[in-house]
Amino acid sequence: MDASLLIIGAGPAGLLAALAAARRSLPRGVLVVDRLPVPGAKLAASGGGRGNLSHVATEGEFAAAFGRFGRFAIPAFRALPPERLRATLADVGIATVVDPAGRIYPRSQSAAQVRDALVAACTRAGVRLVLDRPIRSLAPPETPDAPWTTDSFSARAVLLAAGGQSAPRLGSDGSGFALARALGYQIVPPVPALTSLRTAETWPAAHSGLSLPDVTVAIAGKRGAAERGELLFTHRGISGPAVLNLSGRVARDLQAGAPVPIELDLAHAQPDFRTLRQEAGSRPIHAWLARNLPRALAGTILELAGTPADLTFSRLSAAQEQGLARHLRACPLTVRGTGGFDDSMATAGGVSLKQVRPDTLEGRLTPRLHFAGELLDLDGPTGGWNLHWAFCSGYLAGSVAGA
Ligand SMILES: Cc1cc2nc3c(=O)[nH]c(=O)nc-3n(C[C@H](O)[C@H](O)[C@H](O)COP(=O)(O)OP(=O)(O)OC[C@H]3O[C@@H](n4cnc5c(N)ncnc54)[C@H](O)[C@@H]3O)c2cc1C
């Protein structure tokens, strides 16, 4: 089967690319191939099935969400900013809403409907979709005018939109990295991101299911490696948005082979010791703490700090005060592992951005090979950023590839 543009991967990046490319009436058309029997399986499962599709943001905010190399994403963002994504989705019959935090969802609360609408729009536009067909090898053109070839397809240009390595049951099993590597592209070692953390300490398990709305989680001694937000205790450690957003950096540090020390800042529970000693000196510290933290957790923190639960503020020694203050400001935990790729929502690492042009997403090593989505070495926090990156990078690549 021959095409002007072969898109490997029918995820959000591949589907938006197909839609953009189909509108350009390429002479031999657009072909999308996916290894799963259903397209966009991860998109349909996103946001717990509700699909947090994007996030209202300026280009500066968007770049900042992707960290150190975030500026790479700006040309794609300019090609399809959030308001244009919303208009594109509206064109295919998907109305969207914005929540107070700026997160964009389908009004129907159904990510599967978004996937179905995009697939239907692609089909209407003449895109050919081949499912249940993994691409295992990709051969570059032998002469300047020759096509790219796989075992059964040929195309003038190829877009590799095969995703990362997270949640392989939903399609992305890392085989896109293998295809790029075989063509000489450098792959920044993939690690799971947006995943839970497993701790050496067992006390978090005793509070499994408990969540705290506002905690700062930081990698100990590493400047700037901190995230603030909700924290959830689990039966193996910790999770929740703050932890998920830090997890990629923890996973990267774990690659060195040693456990990673982290700290929880429970600043909202920090007593003003001097005032309390004067005004509530006879009050047990535990009773005060339990007003600012769940009672059982307050007990655990006191135990970790070595402070007897029935001690009153007036009887607290200077050393005990320091110990308790330290545990509330920087409660230590030791991360031994993460939830792994199976339990992660994003992959940190991927095709090196140095080898890809940001304005066309074409690889610098091979002609007419483009990259989009999570396959590239960019990952953002929770909140719709990763899906927006998939959509806008796919859209940019599909607007230029195969000409
Ligand atoms: C459970 C879960 C919930 C999530 N929720 C959100 C959310 O609410 N908001 C958000 O912004 N992000 C969310 N994410 C992340 C987001 O879904 C991804 O970042 C996004 O799907 C990446 O899009 P993509 O098109 O690059 O890759 P994918 O969606 O992974 O699609 C890649 C496609 O390529 C196919 N493929 C892979 N290899 C081959 C091959 N060799 N041959 C042929 N086909 C191949 C796969 O089958 C797959 O269909 C979530 C992720 C998970 C796992």
Side-chain angles (χ1 to χ4, degrees):
M1 217 184 280
D2 186 41
S4 290
L5 176 61
L6 166 66
I7 298 174
I8 302 175
L15 291 173
L16 254 280
L19 210 53
R23 288 180 182 155
R24 291 162 53 220
S25 305
L26 296 169
R28 292 196 300 285
V30 180
L31 178 63
V32 183
V33 182
D34 202 286
R35 63 180 283 265
L36 288 189
V38 288
K42 196 182 281 184
L43 170 59
S46 65
R50 290 171 60 218
N52 180 188
L53 306 173
S54 178
H55 200 114
V56 175
T58 62
E59 69 180 40
E61 288 163 343
F62 189 70
F66 287 87
R68 206 148 58 101
F69 303 114
R71 290 195 66 75
F72 180 92
I74 287 181
F77 181 87
R78 284 185 184 154
L80 190 76
E83 64 274 19
R84 207 142 156 219
L85 172 67
R86 295 185 73 189
T88 305
L89 292 172
D91 276 352
V92 302
I94 297 293
T96 49
V97 292
V98 185
D99 79 359
R103 294 173 294 210
I104 299 172
Y105 289 89
R107 180 173 290 158
S108 64
Q109 306 258 320
S110 166
Q113 261 182 35
V114 178
R115 183 269 314 273
D116 294 345
L118 288 173
V119 171
C122 284
T123 310
R124 276 197 307 276
V127 172
R128 286 166 286 162
L129 189 57
V130 178
L131 297 173
D132 214 359
R133 188 80 70 89
I135 299 289
R136 297 212 168 86
S137 66
L138 191 55
E142 282 170 2
T143 62
D145 285 329
W148 282 85
T149 51
T150 74
D151 51 358
S152 27
F153 308 108
S154 63
R156 172 160 173 76
V158 172
L159 169 61
L160 202 43
Q165 211 166 317
S166 300
R169 67 191 178 280
L170 298 173
S172 54
D173 62 348
S175 55
F177 297 145
L179 291 171
R181 193 182 289 114
L183 293 163
Y185 285 88
Q186 192 193 325
I187 307 298
V188 176
V191 292
L194 303 188
T195 183
S196 56
L197 297 177
R198 296 179 180 171
T199 57
E201 294 81 0
T202 53
W203 66 260
H207 303 288
S208 177
L210 183 75
S211 75
L212 302 175
D214 186 15
V215 175
T216 300
V217 190
I219 300 180
K222 198 166 188 181
R223 258 186 95 201
E227 293 289 343
R228 184 173 172 185
E230 189 183 339
L231 176 131
L232 174 73
F233 291 101
T234 70
H235 63 292
R236 300 181 89 162
I238 50 175
S239 188
V243 171
L244 297 179
N245 289 339
L246 189 69
S247 62
R249 277 169 283 175
V250 176
R252 184 70 68 213
D253 287 0
L254 281 169
Q255 280 193 313
V260 176
I262 61 165
E263 293 168 347
L264 311 183
D265 182 349
L266 309 165
H268 66 285
Q270 190 72 257
D272 174 352
F273 286 101
R274 184 194 290 216
T275 310
L276 283 164
R277 199 175 283 121
Q278 283 165 2
E279 294 175 6
S282 59
R283 197 142 167 231
I285 295 167
H286 182 258
W288 187 89
L289 261 192
R291 275 180 35 198
N292 297 280
L293 283 175
R295 177 168 287 277
L297 183 64
T300 299
I301 298 289
L302 285 172
E303 203 180 314
L304 292 170
T307 313
D310 56 353
L311 202 67
T312 58
F313 279 103
S314 58
R315 289 178 45 223
L316 189 70
S317 71
Q320 283 169 325
E321 177 182 318
Q322 268 179 21
L324 181 54
R326 199 171 53 244
H327 273 80
L328 289 166
R329 197 177 53 243
C331 180
L333 279 172
T334 316
V335 178
R336 272 211 178 131
T338 70
F341 283 115
D342 282 346
D343 175 45
S344 72
M345 288 189 285
T347 300
V351 173
S352 168
L353 303 179
K354 291 187 197 128
Q355 295 177 324
V356 179
R357 289 179 48 169
D359 54 339
T360 58
L361 300 178
E362 187 175 15
R364 295 184 193 274
L365 308 185
T366 45
R368 294 179 269 123
L369 174 67
H370 298 251
F371 299 93
E374 200 173 315
L375 180 91
L376 285 158
D377 176 25
L378 269 188
D379 61 287
T382 58
W385 307 92
N386 289 301
L387 273 177
H388 192 83
W389 164 242
F391 286 132
C392 72
S393 58
Y395 184 86
L396 172 61
S399 303
V400 297

